[in-house]
Amino acid sequence: MLNQESYVILGDGCQIKGISNEAASLAGHWGLGKLIAFYDDSRISIDGDTEMPLLRTLTSVSKLLDGMLSVTTTIVYGSPNKANSYSVYGAALGEKEVEATRNNLGWPYEPFQVPDEVKGHWSRHTPKGSALESNWNATLAYEKKYPEEAAELKCELPAGWEKALPTYTPESPGDATRNLSQQCQQCLNALAKVVPGFLEINLRFGVREHGMGAICNSIALHSPGLIPYCATFFVFTDYMRGAMRISALSESGVIYVMTHDSIGLGEDGPTHQPIEHIASFRAMPNTLMFCPADGNETAGAYKIVVTKRKTPSILALSRQKLPELPGTSIEGVEKGGYTISDNSSGNKPDVILIGTGSELEIAAQAAEVLRKEGKTVRVVSFVCWELFEEQTDEYKESVLPSGVTARVSIEAASTFGWGKIVGGRGKSIGINSFGASAPAPLLYKEFGIIVEAVVDAAKSLF
Amino acid sequence: MLNQESYVILGDGCQIKGISNEAASLAGHWGLGKLIAFYDDSRISIDGDTEMPLLRTLTSVSKLLDGMLSVTTTIVYGSPNKANSYSVYGAALGEKEVEATRNNLGWPYEPFQVPDEVKGHWSRHTPKGSALESNWNATLAYEKKYPEEAAELKCELPAGWEKALPTYTPESPGDATRNLSQQCQQCLNALAKVVPGFLEINLRFGVREHGMGAICNSIALHSPGLIPYCATFFVFTDYMRGAMRISALSESGVIYVMTHDSIGLGEDGPTHQPIEHIASFRAMPNTLMFCPADGNETAGAYKIVVTKRKTPSILALSRQKLPELPGTSIEGVEKGGYTISDNSSGNKPDVILIGTGSELEIAAQAAEVLRKEGKTVRVVSFVCWELFEEQTDEYKESVLPSGVTARVSIEAASTFGWGKIVGGRGKSIGINSFGASAPAPLLYKEFGIIVEAVVDAAKSLF
């Protein structure tokens, strides 16, 4: 079992959140050694005095700990009128009370003035720190003699590491992207020396999604060389969305491997079928939302997310088997959106069909139908909106020429947000209600996420 | 303290979720009487065998209970090859194993055939049930004599109840919409006889958001006459999103009163400032997302949400003070989107400015600037997209004429989704990064959510 020293800072509010129980039960189960808590016992939470309305669960928590320092603290110590009161939790003291507090504490210094005594205390440590730093840098002279080992020590990705990723052709048998994702992980794991920080250790979190996300944040933030990925059903991001937002906000490059990406999961029914989730993450800042369509796109996503150490990534992966599509590529995924096929011979196509994930196949099939009827059709994979957004205007125009207003998008999810891509004339095929429990092909038919719907929508625009 | 009998069904997976701890600690704190658990101890969760990887917290949970029936169960009892195995958790048995199980259990009946013996057991109770029902209906003859009391008993809203809601004029002093929301609640509470089910009881959940949402779901589903509302910061919907999706999916009309609706909350900083949340709920099926701009719009939102017993509603409310705007109305809110001012004298305006919540004021101010320069400008409040979507095409065209492609939206949130409303030529002003910690006016300036930005965007479209 893990046996590193762990310190926990506990406030009054912390203990009543569900995530604390998830983390505490994992700590107990994993037998974490030297778990030491500092408990800031101010008896004030944002919901008021903790004595009265809130159950204080400290006693039960303390059984898990090897040591606990409980400090009975006073919130806004020294403030003559507001110390120990809830009113200071969410509001500044104000100029008058700050003045009264300074007088009360006998603090004569100007705002932001550090007293010499304090400065002296800290600067005493500067020579010691400088010596330690020089020493470390001298040790790193090692780097010149053993560059490969040094790169590994610093968890740097050496050139060409991405060659470890699998590639596929349309002749490959095809699979669920959740399985193709595992193939990528296995390739990276087998080459742990190539991607040194990619975590091979499998932590079993149970169904503690919120705790899982938070722990992965800590792993990623511990060092940029550690690359954690965690997995659950896509719909259960609802349980760990708080941790995922912290990934984005604190620039923690966690890889969220989210399987069962749509109604295509079938019989588990609407409680397990994501609808609004893709849109909800496309709207979240500093978050990459990938919907890979096959093996090449899954490998392409891994190529990117492993290097994105300051941005969390979400991979929405299918449970159902998908074919390898002609035209998909790792290089295409790096652009976020790209053309996988076009029979317009360099001219403007009659229509652009835009698909993501499992629906890229449907777009490709609809294109075949329309082409047989003499139409020129472009098929675009829109695997990661955020990466497409980062491309030059020229590139974007080359994929989605503004002169082509006949556009149809297809994605087995909420159509929310697609208006910007398909434009005022365009059509979006998706699902804006909850799903149902049935085999995937039946559900796709029932909700109209089918080739015929794409063909009809395209024809309505000619 | 609450003292109703409560039954809990516990599975193996249930106990490791954070929400269970939130609910259990509330049950203990509130001193719920007669809390009785049925524990289905199959030792199999979706993450595998619970003995090995998961801490079983049953012992600590049981201290809270007045009774517990722990049944050691066998998952897929009777299946000769798959009983007691994880493999059956997420996959059907298959035809062959179903056949083997039927043979093993000696079950000779056809699929969906109810044996006569079982049918007899149930139908024995029919006469008793019919008698009880007749008796109840006879008691309800009371209804004819005392119609008002009967309506209250059935928690029906009598005609004219909405007159209890406050109304405002531009001369009203203005306030934060979170305070205006409290005024509405007080009006409804004072008239508890008018809205009999509107919950006056204040349950203090602490910061257990997920538990709070789940408990409110239960209250709403208990009877359509009970109308629970719960409150926290809008950003903390990330903690209870699972419960909110269950509201939408199970048609539970919970009212989510979400304060601190944007970067306008100021100094708490980006951890407390919602950005993507409005978009994320607009994408969620069967959910009404309201962004009221002032007192009339807040009252309008309450008029609707109290009657929506099969759809959850979210009210995003400001911390900062807002003025009462000319042109806002309860009737307008009922349409979801409506014109609050227009100087085009019935012609097509030069530009349409669309605002929500605290930004409707900015849109109105920008309109004044443009009108002084001789432009015709329409200002539209887009307070609830879902209600606007329900209107007739004629109404929608009357508010957003397709001939007017010069459109500017302003909302202090992610611009994701606005493309559909403003169209290909239009511009959306918002914030697509995380916020920062500073007073609200400074943040609005820093992130460019200001009158000048709207005016400039409009001018770029003339």
Side-chain angles (χ1 to χ4, degrees), chain A residues 204-267:
Chain A
R204 292 193 71 178
F205 290 99
V207 290
R208 296 171 183 88
E209 294 88 357
H210 199 177
M212 174 169 76
I215 290 168
C216 286
N217 276 336
S218 308
I219 293 171
L221 291 172
H222 180 276
S223 135
L226 294 180
I227 308 177
Y229 63 93
C230 63
T232 184
F233 286 25
F234 190 28
V235 80
F236 297 138
T237 52
D238 283 348
Y239 295 143
M240 62 173 169
R241 201 172 165 91
M244 296 173 85
R245 192 175 205 255
I246 290 291
S247 301
L249 187 50
S250 59
E251 302 185 343
S252 162
V254 175
I255 303 167
Y256 291 93
V257 179
M258 303 289 104
T259 64
H260 300 72
D261 63 348
S262 77
I263 56 166
L265 65 85
E267 294 85 346

Side-chain angles (χ1 to χ4, degrees), chain B residues 82-338:
Chain B
K82 295 197 173 174
N84 217 7
S85 116
Y86 163 66
S87 73
V88 294
Y89 201 99
L93 276 184
E95 215 168 302
K96 224 170 136 184
E97 187 65 14
V98 166
E99 195 51 38
T101 307
R102 294 163 68 89
N103 289 338
N104 190 34
L105 291 170
W107 184 264
Y109 308 100
E110 290 301 303
F112 296 103
Q113 185 193 340
V114 181
D116 288 343
E117 191 189 335
V118 175
K119 238 185 251 168
H121 179 79
W122 285 102
S123 58
R124 259 209 321 270
H125 296 280
T126 314
K128 191 180 161 194
S130 299
L132 283 169
E133 193 187 352
S134 305
N135 196 19
W136 171 250
N137 288 335
T139 312
L140 272 189
Y142 164 91
E143 189 170 6
K144 283 171 196 149
K145 206 167 166 187
Y146 304 100
E148 276 181 35
E149 287 78 356
E152 191 180 343
L153 184 69
K154 293 200 280 183
C155 289
E156 280 170 3
L157 293 170
W161 68 271
E162 70 274 10
K163 294 194 184 102
L165 288 166
T167 52
Y168 303 87
T169 67
E171 288 69 42
S172 305
D175 203 343
T177 48
R178 65 165 173 172
N179 298 334
L180 295 162
S181 163
Q182 279 178 355
Q183 287 177 19
C184 290
Q185 290 168 11
Q186 282 158 9
C187 291
L188 293 171
N189 279 337
L191 291 159
K193 276 199 180 173
V194 175
V195 188
F198 196 68
L199 280 192
E200 289 176 272
I201 305 162
N202 185 8
L203 302 176
R204 292 194 71 177
F205 290 99
V207 291
R208 297 171 183 86
E209 293 89 356
H210 199 177
M212 174 169 75
I215 290 168
C216 286
N217 276 335
S218 308
I219 293 170
L221 291 172
H222 180 277
S223 135
L226 294 181
I227 308 177
Y229 63 93
C230 63
T232 184
F233 285 27
F234 190 27
V235 81
F236 297 138
T237 52
D238 283 347
Y239 295 142
M240 63 172 167
R241 199 171 167 92
M244 296 173 84
R245 193 176 204 255
I246 290 291
S247 302
L249 187 50
S250 58
E251 302 186 341
S252 161
V254 175
I255 303 169
Y256 292 93
V257 179
M258 302 289 103
T259 63
H260 300 72
D261 63 348
S262 77
I263 56 167
L265 64 85
E267 294 86 346
D268 270 335
T271 51
H272 288 53
Q273 292 166 349
I275 298 291
E276 69 280 16
H277 299 73
I278 292 176
S280 80
F281 287 110
R282 284 184 185 144
M284 190 180 275
N286 194 35
T287 301
L288 295 175
M289 176 75 237
F290 288 89
C291 302
D294 63 5
N296 283 330
E297 290 206 346
T298 305
Y302 272 95
K303 180 175 174 194
I304 294 152
V305 302
V306 163
T307 62
K308 290 277 178 187
R309 294 297 86 230
K310 286 184 173 296
T311 303
S313 302
I314 303 164
L315 276 63
L317 302 168
S318 77
R319 177 181 182 239
Q320 70 271 34
K321 187 175 165 171
L322 302 173
E324 290 300 320
L325 294 170
T328 59
S329 70
I330 292 181
E331 298 69 34
V333 176
E334 292 182 288
K335 300 282 190 187
Y338 65 107

